[in-house]
Amino acid sequence: MAITYELIKQCSKTGARVGRLYTPHGVFDTPIFMPVGTQATVKAMSPDELKDMGAGIILSNTYHLYLRPGHDLVAEAGGLHKFMQWDRGILTDSGGFQVFSLGPLRKITEEGVTFHSHIDGSKHFLSPEKATEVQMALGADIIMAFDECVPYPADHEYARQSTQRTTRWAERCKKAHTRKDQALFGIVQGGMYKDLRTMSAQDLISLDFSGYAIGGLSVGEPKPLMYEMLDHTVPLLPSNKPRYLMGVGTPDCLLEGVMYGIDMFDCVFPTRVARNGTVMTNRGRLIIKNAEFSRDFRPIDPECGCYTCRNFSRAYIRHLLKTEEIFGLRLTTTHNLYFLLNFMKEMRKAILDDRFLAFREEFWAHYRK
């Protein structure tokens, strides 16, 4: 198999676990957060900077790279790793979420999805086979089956039909996938319905994927409902394969996701809000552009060891952001990514030390949403 998962330690009181993911481009401990590099780059960051802060696997986006520069060009360059000069793990999503986010610009049929590019309006067709072909050309270590993301809210009948289609598409992806140096994950759907989550998980497990993602969460539903779906779904998945919760990247959701037994996470949140001047700390978020920080000469987070916090003050970073200096965006992005990667590292240690629940209690004692 292209990747394997090894369970290292299971929390004695929760579903939290530490594992090891073996990939063609390195071995990485889980639970892990994957920075998002939508267009074959993590915005504002160089590959060396990402390595220095401990990033193991990053995510790139099939939909965007298919539209530009094109998967054929990336393949000609030697694949995504060589194209972007990143020699660690890469996961590509299938493009399904982006296509379904286009709303009136797309039409779903059993064969696939016809959509119009958000860039120039040009017409395209993405099927399970095409999504798999594009991802094989990109050459990521882990690729995702093409799925239909059930929106929130959705009635039971719509969610059922959509989830069954996702299973049929997953089977087609598996048949189309021929690269032996690449792992294919299935995506569990089912909306906010436990019976459909059960059906989806059982159907996908019967297809024997290398790992399993949980999709269709963090799409606008209340967080307690997301946690309820995780509590129900995660125990259905094989314990000897990685579990990936798609699109989650705030400290509170990462912590709760790990508690339920999730191994892998990704989200644009830390880099997106950094560009808007919002930074993360153990005590909650700071909007560093606010006037209250104009004469605040402390680091963003006195407990953080990132390059930004070791060298620069809140006042200086605010000044850069207010004057629209690019370096300000780099500093906030550096901090947010380091913060989350370090947060995952601390969680792994807490699980290994069998003190995960105490770690969770300490976090919630200080954190403001």
Side-chain angles (χ1 to χ4, degrees):
M1 293 179 68
I3 71 156
T4 55
Y5 174 83
E6 177 188 2
L7 179 62
I8 305 296
K9 176 71 179 281
Q10 176 79 46
C11 174
S12 60
K13 297 183 177 71
T14 71
R17 61 187 198 163
V18 168
R20 196 156 287 152
L21 196 62
Y22 296 83
T23 81
H25 287 89
V27 180
F28 311 104
D29 288 344
T30 63
I32 195 169
F33 176 76
M34 301 179 287
V36 175
T38 301
Q39 317 254 24
T41 180
V42 176
K43 284 183 171 56
M45 294 285 98
S46 74
D48 285 346
E49 287 168 329
L50 289 168
K51 288 181 191 176
D52 288 346
M53 64 176 70
I57 303 178
I58 62 174
L59 180 143
S60 282
N61 186 269
T62 297
Y63 166 82
H64 289 282
L65 294 175
Y66 161 73
L67 290 178
R68 57 183 181 188
H71 56 291
D72 292 339
L73 185 148
V74 174
E76 188 180 335
L80 206 46
H81 290 91
K82 286 188 177 179
F83 188 54
M84 64 186 294
Q85 290 300 302
W86 175 256
D87 59 6
R88 296 187 179 179
I90 298 178
L91 181 149
T92 47
D93 61 11
S94 68
F97 180 78
Q98 284 71 32
V99 166
F100 296 111
S101 297
L102 292 172
L105 294 176
R106 50 85 172 149
K107 180 182 177 184
I108 307 168
T109 66
E110 184 64 27
E111 280 307 302
V113 183
T114 301
F115 66 96
H116 292 273
S117 165
H118 72 287
I119 301 166
D120 59 10
S122 55
K123 189 176 179 180
H124 301 269
F125 178 71
L126 203 56
S127 64
E129 291 80 11
K130 184 66 175 181
T132 305
E133 173 199 327
V134 171
Q135 291 184 89
M136 286 195 293
L138 295 174
D141 302 275
I142 300 170
I143 71 170
M144 306 305 298
F146 190 59
D147 65 323
E148 181 179 346
C149 184
V150 180
Y152 176 81
D155 64 52
H156 188 277
E157 180 57 21
Y158 177 93
R160 183 186 66 80
Q161 293 182 15
S162 172
T163 300
Q164 290 175 334
R165 180 182 289 130
T166 283
T167 297
R168 294 191 294 272
W169 283 0
E171 193 168 6
R172 287 165 58 186
C173 288
K174 183 143 195 196
K175 288 178 181 175
H177 184 241
T178 56
R179 281 192 70 152
K180 303 300 183 187
D181 62 341
Q182 194 177 55
L184 175 64
F185 281 21
I187 303 177
V188 177
Q189 290 288 350
M192 304 301 153
Y193 302 100
K194 291 180 181 178
D195 62 324
L196 299 183
R197 291 278 171 185
T198 299
M199 176 186 74
S200 180
Q202 291 174 346
D203 289 346
L204 291 174
I205 290 166
S206 71
L207 294 173
D208 192 27
F209 287 96
S210 298
Y212 296 90
I214 299 176
L217 295 180
S218 192
V219 290
E221 78 281 5
K223 286 182 181 179
L225 184 54
M226 178 175 76
Y227 299 147
E228 186 182 336
M229 291 300 109
L230 285 178
D231 188 35
H232 175 79
T233 306
V234 175
L236 302 172
L237 302 177
S239 61
N240 64 338
K241 293 185 178 181
R243 306 156 174 168
Y244 164 30
L245 177 57
M246 308 180 80
V248 165
T250 58
D252 54 334
C253 290
L254 291 173
L255 180 67
E256 299 302 291
V258 167
M259 185 180 72
Y260 288 112
I262 297 296
D263 306 303
M264 304 166 67
F265 303 84
D266 83 283
C267 195
V268 299
F269 178 82
T271 50
R272 178 174 288 167
V273 300
R275 297 193 300 278
N276 295 324
T278 298
V279 291
M280 294 185 240
T281 77
N282 280 319
R283 299 181 182 275
R285 300 174 203 166
L286 302 178
I287 302 175
I288 213 74
K289 286 200 292 190
N290 285 356
E292 65 185 289
F293 301 114
S294 62
R295 282 181 165 79
D296 190 337
F297 302 109
R298 295 173 295 170
I300 289 172
D301 186 344
E303 299 172 14
C304 179
C306 78
Y307 171 77
T308 302
C309 289
R310 292 198 318 269
N311 292 282
F312 303 101
S313 70
R314 297 173 179 184
Y316 178 66
I317 297 165
R318 178 182 184 272
H319 157 68
L320 294 179
L321 295 172
K322 296 297 283 186
T323 55
E324 299 184 350
E325 287 289 345
I326 294 171
F327 190 46
L329 306 181
R330 283 178 38 76
L331 290 178
T332 53
T333 303
T334 296
H335 168 77
N336 279 355
L337 288 176
Y338 179 97
F339 177 83
L340 285 191
L341 292 167
N342 190 62
F343 186 58
M344 303 305 290
K345 182 180 177 181
E346 289 176 347
M347 272 198 276
R348 292 195 295 268
K349 187 176 188 308
I351 297 167
L352 291 171
D353 294 342
D354 210 17
R355 56 176 305 275
F356 177 76
L357 273 182
F359 177 89
R360 179 172 176 264
E361 288 172 9
E362 290 164 11
F363 171 84
W364 281 116
H366 301 294
Y367 186 74
R368 299 188 315 275
K369 292 185 183 179

